[in-house]
Amino acid sequence: LGYIEKGIEEGATLRLGGHRHGNKGYFIEPTIFTDVKDDMVIAKEEIFGPVMSIFKFKTDEEAITRANATKYGLAASVVSENGARAISTAHQLRAGTVWINTHNSFDAAVPFGGYKESGHGRELGFEAMENYLETKTVMMPLTGPKV
């Protein structure tokens, strides 16, 4: 709830949700902010919860530049009716996973992990096996010991 309070305090408009859900655990309602500015905490931090910040932009280039300016890069979502435009945008975003016209969709065969300060290595997919491997190199000359 601290991020929600901070968003309101910094001037974002709370459009939906923003309250605790239930009496047990740490659950909040799905929450949507508009009028979010790049220097706000809710724009700069990774919020692990059902919180969406909506930003206005004039060009695709502006949106991509602003999205890539963060120190994080776990995941991003692109929403568009134009498939070619969405794919082009996805390729330019510095995020480990980019969803197009969906969000939070996973498959055990597809690697998941972030760029920049959003993690090291990958979960899921073949790439996840690297986390469990310890590589060793052994070298021996084929002509006998060197003196």
Side-chain angles (χ1 to χ4, degrees):
L1 293 173
Y3 280 117
I4 294 169
E5 292 167 4
K6 193 69 171 170
I8 294 167
E9 176 186 314
E10 292 184 335
T13 303
L14 179 63
R15 294 286 180 179
L16 179 74
H19 303 286
R20 181 185 172 96
H21 179 76
N23 296 325
K24 295 182 181 177
Y26 298 96
F27 300 100
I28 61 168
E29 300 169 335
T31 301
I32 299 175
F33 281 105
T34 58
D35 305 313
V36 180
K37 307 293 183 233
D38 294 340
D39 61 345
M40 293 180 176
V41 170
I42 62 171
K44 296 189 297 185
E45 297 288 326
E46 285 183 317
I47 302 174
F48 290 93
V51 179
M52 178 183 284
S53 295
I54 298 176
F55 300 79
K56 291 182 180 181
F57 63 93
K58 292 186 175 154
T59 66
D60 291 356
E61 293 76 20
E62 175 195 354
I64 292 163
T65 298
R66 289 170 59 196
N68 288 338
T70 179
K71 64 182 178 178
Y72 300 108
L74 183 58
S77 292
V78 175
V79 179
S80 177
E81 293 179 349
N82 184 323
R85 182 179 178 196
I87 290 169
S88 174
T89 300
H91 282 291
Q92 295 175 71
L93 291 172
R94 297 287 301 144
T97 297
V98 180
W99 293 289
I100 297 176
N101 294 336
T102 188
H103 186 76
N104 221 24
S105 177
F106 294 94
D107 184 303
V110 179
F112 178 78
Y115 286 9
K116 303 184 262 186
E117 291 187 29
S118 290
H120 302 282
R122 294 290 177 263
E123 299 172 13
L124 309 174
F126 179 78
E127 290 80 355
M129 295 301 294
E130 294 291 327
N131 296 321
Y132 302 99
L133 299 177
E134 186 172 46
T135 303
K136 178 186 279 190
T137 301
V138 176
M139 298 182 69
M140 180 179 100
L142 296 178
T143 59
K146 291 188 177 186
V147 186

